[in-house]
Amino acid sequence: MNERSGLRSQRTAALLPPSCAAVGVRRRILQGALHLFATRGFHGASMRDLASVIEVQPSAIYVHFPSKEHLLAELVRVGHEVHHEQIRLAMLEASADPVAQLCALVRAHVRMHTSYPDLAVIVNTELEALSPELAAPGLALRNQSIALLLAVIERGTALGRFSHPNTQVVAAAIGAMGVRIPYWYSPDLGLDAVELAEVHVQLALRMLGADLSKEGGR
């Protein structure tokens, strides 16, 4: 059993975020594609498979999406969009202290990956299946999210709040912790999503060598 099939089977329904504006048949198509791509992979699911799952004729899908690649591109864009918006808003609501902002960003990062695990899987594993043109909107949002994390780490370092060997490496490690959540996490493990986020916050602060002695450290 591979990693994808073993862990994806623990969930019964794939979720789209409320911010996804698609309605009616278009939303059903996206919902079905989300489930199939997360469980089988982009290359392992056909448009006929999707039509069967959502109980429509294949021609009905092509009315809304010209190709399977366009379907994936929309899911990738939606996933990156909700992720970026969650971390951006979390940072805006935090105080100006870089430690507080880092904690808020990490909590939002974890929340995205626990709330929408199938979408997170697609965003992080199937992006390479897209052409550069179709991948561009999602990648632009991803780069904006990375820039937010790098900026808060760099500012915290400049202010003496963080002490670490390399900004890029630590940022990548913090991001990767969240990316792995859909592959192992389940509330059945006795740790709810809020508790998991706090564990990630503590790990991120340790990686950054955070100075918690000043106001804003929690």
Side-chain angles (χ1 to χ4, degrees), residues 98-157:
V99 175
Q101 290 185 342
L102 187 281
C103 293
L105 186 154
V106 170
R107 291 186 186 104
H109 184 57
V110 172
R111 183 166 60 248
M112 159 63 185
H113 287 80
T114 54
S115 299
Y116 306 107
D118 287 325
L119 190 57
V121 166
I122 291 173
V123 163
N124 291 307
T125 64
E126 304 294 351
L127 181 64
E128 293 182 358
L130 294 175
S131 66
E133 179 182 4
L134 289 178
L139 282 175
L141 288 163
R142 174 181 287 190
N143 289 335
Q144 291 175 40
S145 297
I146 292 171
L148 288 178
L149 176 57
L150 290 173
V152 74
I153 292 175
E154 289 169 355
R155 191 164 65 87
T157 304

Side-chain angles (χ1 to χ4, degrees), residues 37 45-52 58 61-62 65-68 71:
F37 294 166
S46 70
M47 293 292 257
R48 285 192 175 276
D49 293 333
L50 176 57
S52 177
I61 299 176
Y62 289 106
F65 297 94
S67 70
K68 189 172 73 164
L71 248 175

Side-chain angles (χ1 to χ4, degrees), residues 2 4-5 8-9 11 34-41 118:
N2 62 37
R4 182 190 294 272
S5 63
R8 297 287 67 72
S9 64
R11 294 193 296 277
L34 172 57
H35 172 71
L36 285 179
F37 294 166
T39 55
R40 302 185 189 180
D118 287 325

Side-chain angles (χ1 to χ4, degrees), residues 192-204:
D192 66 29
V194 173
E195 293 168 330
L196 176 64
E198 293 309 310
V199 172
H200 275 241
V201 165
Q202 293 304 312
L203 290 172

Side-chain angles (χ1 to χ4, degrees), residues 1 14 20 26 50 83 86 90 117 126 141 183 188 214-215:
M1 180 180 293
C20 178
R26 185 178 178 88
L50 176 57
H83 176 261
Q86 284 191 7
E126 304 294 351
L141 288 163
Y183 294 94
D188 296 340
K214 299 178 183 179
E215 184 178 353

